[in-house]
Amino acid sequence: MSVQACPACSAGPMAEAVAQAGKGDQKVMLSLPEIHCAGCISGVERSLMAMPGVRNARVNLTLKRATVDVDTGIQPADLATALTARGYTAHELDAGTLAATQTDNRGRELLMRLGVAGFAMMNVMLLSVAVWAGAADATRDMFHWISATIAIPTIAFSGQPFFRNALSALKAARLNMDVPISLAILLAAGMSIYETAMHGEHAYFDAALSLTFFLLAGRYLDHRTRSVARSAAEELAALEVPRALKITGDTETMTPIAELAVGDLVRVLPGGRVPVDGIITTGNSEIDRSLLTGESLPVFAGPDTMLSAGEVNLTGALTVRVTAAGEDSTLHRLTDLVAIAETTRNRYTSLADKAARIYAPLVHLLAFGAFLGWLIGTGDMRLSINIAVAVLIITCPCALGLAVPAVTTAASGRLFRQGMLIKNATALERLAEVDTVVFDKTGTLTQGRPQLVDPGSYAPDDLALAQALARGSSHPLAAALSEVVPDNLPYTSPTQVRQLSDSLLQHEIPGHGVQGDLNGQTLRLGRADWVGADPVVGTATYLDTGTHTVAFRFTDSLREGAAEAVAGLKAQGKTVILLSGDHPSAVADIAARTGIDAFEAQVLPDEKVAYINRLRDSGHKVLMVGDGLNDTAALAAAHASISPASALEATRVVSDIVLLGNTLTPLADAVLTAQSATRRIKENFAIAALYNSIAIPIALIGLATPLAAALAMSASSVSVSLNALRLR
Amino acid sequence: MQVLVFLIPISLFLGGVGLVAFFWTLKSSQYDDPEGDAHRILSDEYDDSPAP
């Protein structure tokens, strides 16, 4: 995906949805994360069109998404599966969640105003050049009048975003960047009309218009960056289709979670995420709670076990009675935390705001001072106003208005290509200030996927039996056992294991393990208490061969790039800390493998927050990287936060940056990019200040001409944009 | 200078045509999928409507 996805683009599908409403009965959205070429586009479209019930299919390569019109009754999940089977990875997207992103009227409106301002600016500039070249008297007046007829309606239309913002700021008795902007545009236009009517020499129509144009361009860039981030974030959310299998009598129906009520029965299949808070009524299974607690060890769940939304069911099908759904569920209660996080974040003053706070009053004072000075000095009202307006125009925040958006657009584009999504406008600036990085373990530094420790240390017969039994289960530990192929043991060749496995007649006992039969001897692979083995520390599964028991120990496999990211951050002089809710031995193991010196285990969620608050109080700026619900509060408390795309939505919402890929490698680079982005922003301010320090004295002594204003404005805007582009 | 009577309206008219064309592209969602459109030109299949 590229950052070139302009918001006007995402405005499209909605309009079409209306136009196309008659064609298909139902609209389905599919996410196609891997498509990249012309062949993919026609391949996906042809495959979709060939499927029964599909009326129309259109791929959007920019958004990596397909919109499909289908007859009612076609299951979107089936389309995604069929497409994946043909080699185009596809995921179903929840159309309800996406609908919000599709109407980007604001982006389209800004683009429209920008287009009008550009047209008017070019035409007026054409006429102005004629005036500067020496047109005089009646010709000059005519050119000015034509300029006025183009400029006035354009300013009335294109300047509205600024006027509106300025008005609301003034109503709240505040000064923002839009106040001097609006004042400069309006005064320039008003003064120019007066001058034209009085057959004056100087009219600033071109300046008023180019001011509008450049600032609208900055505004549009800003909007585009944010809407790309928003639409990608919402696409992540839409990937989790909020549906549950509701049991009514003998039938199971797919029901939106919002429609579930307390007391309803819901079926949770193995591998599925628990959609609601509830109590198990029937079924046994093991539950992966790592997203909520950080524990890597699955826990047993049987009738009367309480489940929370967000947990993953591993082995057996469960029937769950809903105790809290939707707004009341554990997941939703976290929105309160999110709200708190938003307010702490909002207290952060961005560089742009800081600049505006100094800039706005300064400009007004300067212009007013110039007016007073010249009025007292010469007594000429018209001249004094002209000079004051020239000061306002020349100090125009053109470069300031472009300084920040141009840099953030370039920086977020660069990070986006590396697989990082910047969600918050001030995230880059905060990330640049970070000096301490706190990692969560399970799901962040590790993949949450177990790996057998030292396969060579087990007796070949035991390993072969365990592997044969493991083939009868889809439990993550069983899957990890099956993956092991020790090359020094010819006995356990995959074929032999398969033959052994077929002869065992193994069957899974959900929540406990797998049982098999070898020559009348019962074999068991599963939990320690069920097998009758002494539990060992850490993640393990146990084999009972009838004669003895063996513990197979597992460790979590590291996420790709975890060690590189830690090394990169340490090389930048950052303190790296590992905080986990997991067992000390597991945490120490991961810390050693990633090269982290400081770690703490068995940390409860509120202790994580307290830890981060302590760091903050001692003057550190903390970056928190985490994925679990137990990290949510800590992510919110930290100065900046990053979460992987595999995190739950509630967690992603509180983080500033989402890692879209599966690797942590870009992490260290992201901090560097953020630092250079902040440096560019400051450089841009310096460039703007430099232009002003030359232009203001000229304006103050009354030597500014419309030509000088046009030159200063264009030169500063272009140099600021070019400086920002160095980031790409 | 008499030529200005023609030249100015002509230049404004041409600029206006460009502006109307821009509005049209915006309204007909032609900035929907810039990357896809760049690749679609390589496709053998002929499609005469840009939407949906």
Side-chain angles (χ1 to χ4, degrees):
Chain A
M1 216 186 287
S2 124
V3 81
Q4 262 82 30
C6 70
C9 316
S10 32
M14 203 56 189
E16 285 143 18
V18 177
Q20 299 268 321
K23 274 197 185 173
D25 290 306
Q26 202 189 337
K27 261 203 180 307
V28 171
M29 298 281 222
L30 299 174
S31 163
L32 307 158
E34 283 167 13
I35 57 164
H36 59 275
C37 63
C40 308
I41 298 180
S42 47
V44 169
E45 283 178 357
R46 226 177 298 130
S47 312
L48 280 172
M49 291 296 277
M51 288 174 202
V54 174
R55 301 269 182 96
N56 201 349
R58 179 84 183 178
V59 170
N60 186 324
L61 186 65
T62 317
L63 297 171
K64 303 217 178 202
R65 223 181 258 174
T67 315
V68 195
D69 290 310
V70 293
D71 293 335
T72 36
I74 301 284
Q75 283 297 326
D78 297 342
L79 290 181
T81 325
L83 211 52
T84 309
R86 295 190 185 217
Y88 305 105
T89 313
H91 306 288
E92 179 195 356
L93 291 172
D94 181 39
T97 319
L98 278 181
T101 42
Q102 282 163 9
T103 40
D104 184 26
N105 289 330
R106 221 180 88 79
R108 195 178 267 216
E109 184 198 291
L110 273 175
L111 204 57
M112 186 85 99
R113 296 189 200 279
L114 185 67
V116 172
F119 156 80
M121 180 185 76
M122 286 188 279
N123 280 289
V124 170
M125 197 58 90
L126 213 65
L127 297 165
S128 300
V129 169
V131 174
W132 300 334
D137 308 325
T139 321
R140 184 182 62 209
D141 280 354
M142 184 183 70
F143 281 161
H144 279 167
W145 278 120
I146 298 173
S147 301
T149 41
I150 302 170
I152 301 307
T154 306
I155 287 170
F157 174 68
S158 294
Q160 276 173 30
F162 306 114
F163 303 153
R164 236 181 281 135
N165 282 349
L167 209 62
S168 59
L170 286 178
K171 268 185 194 155
R174 284 185 299 114
L175 271 187
N176 62 8
M177 209 66 146
D178 288 322
V179 177
I181 291 172
S182 305
L183 210 60
I185 295 175
L186 288 177
L187 276 178
M191 185 263 265
S192 303
I193 294 177
Y194 179 76
E195 283 293 306
T196 306
M198 304 299 289
H199 310 289
E201 208 179 318
H202 294 324
Y204 283 97
F205 291 116
D206 65 294
L209 285 172
S210 39
L211 190 54
T212 317
F213 177 77
F214 282 127
L215 289 168
L216 272 176
R219 213 44 67 96
Y220 180 67
L221 279 182
D222 198 36
H223 175 80
R224 200 177 75 166
T225 317
R226 258 183 283 162
S227 84
V228 167
R230 197 174 50 233
S231 80
E234 279 183 42
E235 178 158 323
L236 279 178
L239 278 173
E240 289 164 24
V241 183
R243 264 185 238 151
L245 265 180
K246 184 180 164 188
I247 306 173
T248 18
D250 295 330
T251 55
E252 291 176 7
T253 42
M254 271 292 181
T255 316
I257 288 177
E259 289 173 21
L260 290 176
V262 173
D264 280 346
L265 287 179
V266 173
R267 161 104 54 218
V268 185
L269 297 172
R273 194 164 269 173
V274 180
V276 288
D277 289 1
I279 297 176
I280 299 178
T281 54
T282 51
N284 286 316
S285 180
E286 279 190 296
I287 297 290
D288 178 0
R289 293 210 149 126
S290 60
L291 272 175
L292 281 93
T293 61
E295 290 171 71
S296 49
L297 220 55
V299 292
F300 174 79
D304 295 331
T305 308
M306 296 282 295
L307 296 180
S308 303
E311 295 172 340
V312 178
N313 179 18
L314 291 179
T315 44
L318 297 172
T319 309
V320 178
R321 167 164 289 117
V322 180
T323 55
E327 299 286 301
D328 301 322
S329 75
T330 322
L331 272 176
H332 273 267
R333 265 181 271 129
L334 280 153
T335 41
D336 295 343
L337 273 178
V338 174
I340 297 164
E342 302 279 88
T343 53
T344 37
R345 292 282 155 73
N346 289 346
R347 261 188 262 132
Y348 183 85
T349 335
S350 69
L351 281 171
D353 288 343
K354 280 183 197 154
R357 261 180 218 171
I358 306 168
Y359 172 85
L362 193 74
V363 168
H364 292 155
L365 280 178
L366 260 178
F368 191 65
F371 170 72
L372 273 187
W374 279 87
L375 191 63
I376 294 163
T378 62
D380 186 344
M381 185 69 136
R382 183 175 154 193
L383 180 70
S384 312
I385 292 181
N386 272 355
I387 287 172
V389 171
V391 168
L392 264 185
I393 296 172
I394 280 238
T395 56
C396 95
C398 238
L400 282 182
L402 274 173
V404 179
V407 172
T408 27
T409 306
S412 1
R414 177 173 160 171
L415 290 176
F416 199 84
R417 281 191 296 277
Q418 291 174 351
M420 306 188 92
L421 181 66
I422 314 292
K423 283 176 52 212
N424 194 301
T426 59
L428 280 172
E429 289 170 34
R430 281 184 279 116
L431 189 61
E433 295 171 358
V434 156
D435 62 2
T436 308
V437 185
V438 175
F439 279 100
D440 164 55
K441 184 181 79 74
T442 323
T444 306
L445 281 178
T446 69
Q447 299 217 298
R449 206 172 342 118
Q451 244 177 2
L452 187 62
V453 177
D454 196 9
S457 70
Y458 299 100
D461 289 9
D462 292 345
L463 191 57
L465 281 177
Q467 285 191 312
L469 283 168
R471 286 177 56 83
S473 169
S474 58
H475 190 282
L477 292 185
L481 258 180
S482 307
E483 276 171 21
V484 178
V485 187
D487 39 17
N488 55 341
L489 301 169
Y491 173 64
T492 54
S493 79
T495 334
Q496 281 164 315
V497 169
R498 205 173 308 130
Q499 283 162 359
L500 185 62
S501 171
D502 292 342
S503 69
L504 283 176
L505 299 169
Q506 78 279 54
H507 59 277
E508 186 164 21
I509 296 158
H512 297 288
V514 196
Q515 190 169 317
D517 207 52
L518 181 70
N519 309 329
Q521 176 67 55
T522 305
L523 303 172
R524 284 166 162 183
L525 178 75
R527 302 181 70 84
D529 42 7
W530 179 65
V531 171
D534 296 324
V536 295
V537 171
T539 312
T541 188
Y542 304 85
L543 172 72
D544 175 15
T545 61
T547 53
H548 62 284
T549 58
V550 187
F552 290 95
R553 300 191 42 218
F554 293 89
T555 175
D556 213 344
S557 56
L558 281 185
R559 192 183 274 269
E560 196 190 320
E564 289 94 319
V566 171
L569 289 168
K570 279 170 110 181
Q572 291 169 32
K574 314 251 184 279
T575 318
V576 182
I577 299 166
L578 176 60
L579 287 187
S580 175
D582 208 358
H583 200 276
S585 65
V587 179
D589 175 46
I590 296 296
R593 279 157 67 192
T594 48
I596 299 177
D597 310 315
F599 62 89
E600 268 186 50
Q602 283 173 325
V603 190
L604 296 176
D606 39 337
E607 288 172 2
K608 280 195 183 186
V609 182
Y611 195 96
I612 283 175
N613 285 339
R614 259 200 316 281
L615 281 172
R616 189 190 56 205
D617 293 341
S618 57
H620 292 288
K621 304 266 196 235
V622 184
L623 164 67
M624 173 80 200
V625 189
D627 81 315
L629 279 183
N630 57 333
D631 302 317
T632 310
L635 286 166
H639 192 60
S641 51
I642 299 182
S643 68
S646 55
L648 286 180
E649 197 201 339
T651 314
R652 287 196 309 257
V653 168
V654 291
S655 25
D656 302 313
I657 298 176
V658 176
L659 281 169
L660 295 172
N662 204 19
T663 159
L664 286 175
T665 327
L667 216 57
D669 200 41
V671 179
L672 290 181
T673 307
Q675 281 166 350
S676 59
T678 315
R679 211 159 41 235
R680 294 276 172 279
I681 291 177
K682 286 180 181 156
E683 280 169 16
N684 279 352
F685 286 157
I687 293 175
L690 185 74
Y691 274 103
N692 277 342
S693 65
I694 300 168
I696 291 174
I698 297 176
L700 281 179
I701 55 172
L703 290 178
T705 57
L707 178 59
L711 282 178
M713 206 180 286
S714 319
S716 63
S717 300
V718 169
S719 47
V720 157
S721 313
L722 286 179
N723 186 43
L725 281 179
R726 291 205 290 144
L727 255 182
R728 290 177 75 90
Chain B
M1 282 296 159
Q2 297 306 317
V3 73
L4 285 178
V5 178
F6 299 100
L7 282 184
I8 291 175
I10 288 173
S11 85
L12 284 179
F13 172 75
L14 288 178
V17 169
L19 189 65
V20 169
F22 173 70
F23 283 170
W24 173 70
T25 58
L26 201 61
K27 283 253 161 70
S28 58
S29 349
Q30 296 194 22
Y31 304 102
D32 235 37
D33 183 12
E35 240 171 88
D37 292 338
H39 280 96
R40 263 174 214 279
I41 200 165
L42 302 171
S43 166
D44 294 335
E45 281 160 60
Y46 182 73
D47 55 346
D48 50 3
S49 65

